[in-house]
Amino acid sequence: MPRLNVNIDHVATIRQARGGTEPDPVSAASLAELAGAKGIVVHLREDRRHAQVRDLEVLRKTVQTKLNMEMAPTNAMVNIAKKIKPEMATLVPEKRQELTTEGGLNVVKHFQKVKSTVNALKKAKIFVSLFIDPDLKQIEKSFETGAQMVEIHTGTYADAGSEKEREKELIKIEKAVDHALDIGLRVSAGHGLNYFNVEEVALIDGIEELNIGHSLISRAVLVGMDTAVRDMVVLCGE
Ligand code: PXP
């Protein structure tokens, strides 16, 4: 059964709404860990709309489990990652106007850039994952970059408008996981997962980790971080 990693970006989103110091994503990370999260995920976006470099610096000192820095494959981000030294980095596509990460990284199209970013991060002893769509070609190219893991994008599954479409997307994810494992990649999954759709994904054999943010922080606003994380840990099957 997969481990739950909690993405705390939206705690920072609330803080940035007033530009002050609360709520602090660092406190949220500690509470998530105490409630059973096995990792903390932070996306440092180029426009700094939620997490700030300061958050990563403090989290680097306080996270007890594992820090996974999501980042675009750019030289500026690599330089920050090298200073922070998270256990893990996940490369994601980034567009300034998007509400959230829309779709996986196109490793086929941006192969050289992704490969050189993977190399630079691995040289700094950072474990690298690529966030990609459940597409066999993307998986093969991901392996060729030297990345150690792929995070399968579950957004299309999560947004499926009908039971039939949802089933179709779930099968795509299962096939992608099998193929990634077959060629020697480790596998995680995430995006759009919530308290109602996570169980079917958690049951797929071979997914080591689930990265969940929006639904979990939304629930935490109402019931508290501890309950929100504990309930999600149960649904992940731990
Ligand atoms: N995985 C990746 C690569 C992401 O970019 C995000 C969103 O920041 C997530 C997982 C979490 O998605 P959600 O907030 O929809 O749970």
Side-chain angles (χ1 to χ4, degrees):
M1 284 304 191
R3 303 181 288 273
L4 171 65
N5 296 330
V6 173
N7 179 316
I8 53 172
D9 291 346
H10 286 333
V11 178
T13 302
I14 299 172
R15 177 191 60 194
Q16 295 312 109
R18 288 287 170 97
T21 56
E22 63 175 11
D24 195 330
V26 175
S27 308
S30 298
L31 290 170
E33 289 184 318
L34 288 172
K38 295 297 194 300
I40 299 299
V41 189
V42 185
H43 184 178
L44 186 69
R45 296 186 76 101
E46 288 174 306
D47 63 10
R48 305 290 193 272
R49 71 172 77 151
H50 37 61
Q52 308 296 308
V53 172
R54 170 266 176 199
D55 298 328
L56 279 157
E57 287 169 349
V58 182
L59 286 164
R60 175 60 298 175
K61 294 187 180 132
T62 57
V63 165
Q64 306 283 311
T65 53
K66 177 171 89 168
L67 182 60
N68 178 357
M69 175 179 166
E70 284 183 16
M71 52 182 264
T74 67
N75 295 340
M77 282 295 159
V78 169
N79 287 336
I80 295 171
K82 279 182 177 170
K83 283 192 195 121
I84 302 291
K85 291 195 179 298
E87 279 83 5
M88 173 171 177
T90 301
L91 300 184
V92 298
E94 211 173 283
K95 293 189 222 107
R96 280 182 188 252
Q97 305 311 323
E98 67 192 357
L99 285 178
T100 178
T101 313
E102 292 163 358
L105 193 61
N106 190 340
V107 186
V108 175
K109 187 168 171 198
H110 305 292
F111 181 74
Q112 285 307 336
K113 182 70 203 161
V114 176
K115 187 175 175 192
S116 65
T117 308
V118 170
N119 275 340
L121 291 167
K122 280 174 77 180
K123 246 192 212 155
K125 304 214 176 331
I126 299 168
F127 181 94
V128 187
S129 178
L130 305 182
F131 180 60
I132 56 167
D133 290 334
D135 176 287
L136 304 190
K137 252 215 149 62
Q138 295 290 344
I139 289 167
E140 277 156 25
K141 276 291 180 195
S142 295
F143 182 72
E144 284 179 39
T145 65
Q148 294 119 314
M149 187 178 235
V150 282
E151 177 178 344
I152 304 293
H153 179 227
T154 50
T156 312
Y157 157 79
D159 291 341
S162 66
E163 197 49 45
K164 203 168 152 206
E165 197 191 329
R166 187 180 151 109
E167 274 300 312
K168 198 178 103 202
E169 288 304 321
L170 199 64
I171 290 167
K172 255 197 216 169
I173 297 170
E174 282 167 352
K175 285 191 174 151
V177 173
D178 281 347
H179 192 55
L181 293 171
D182 275 352
I183 63 174
L185 285 161
R186 291 169 66 177
V187 183
S188 65
H191 211 278
L193 296 177
N194 61 37
Y195 293 83
F196 308 101
N197 66 20
V198 71
E199 281 171 294
E200 279 179 298
V201 176
L203 283 169
I204 297 173
D205 237 10
I207 297 181
E208 282 184 47
E209 304 181 338
L210 293 176
N211 299 316
I212 305 182
H214 185 83
S215 66
L216 200 148
I217 302 303
S218 302
R219 186 169 284 211
V221 168
L222 302 178
V223 304
M225 198 69 185
D226 189 78
T227 303
V229 174
R230 283 182 201 279
D231 289 353
M232 190 58 91
V233 166
V234 170
L235 294 173
C236 288
E238 269 197 82

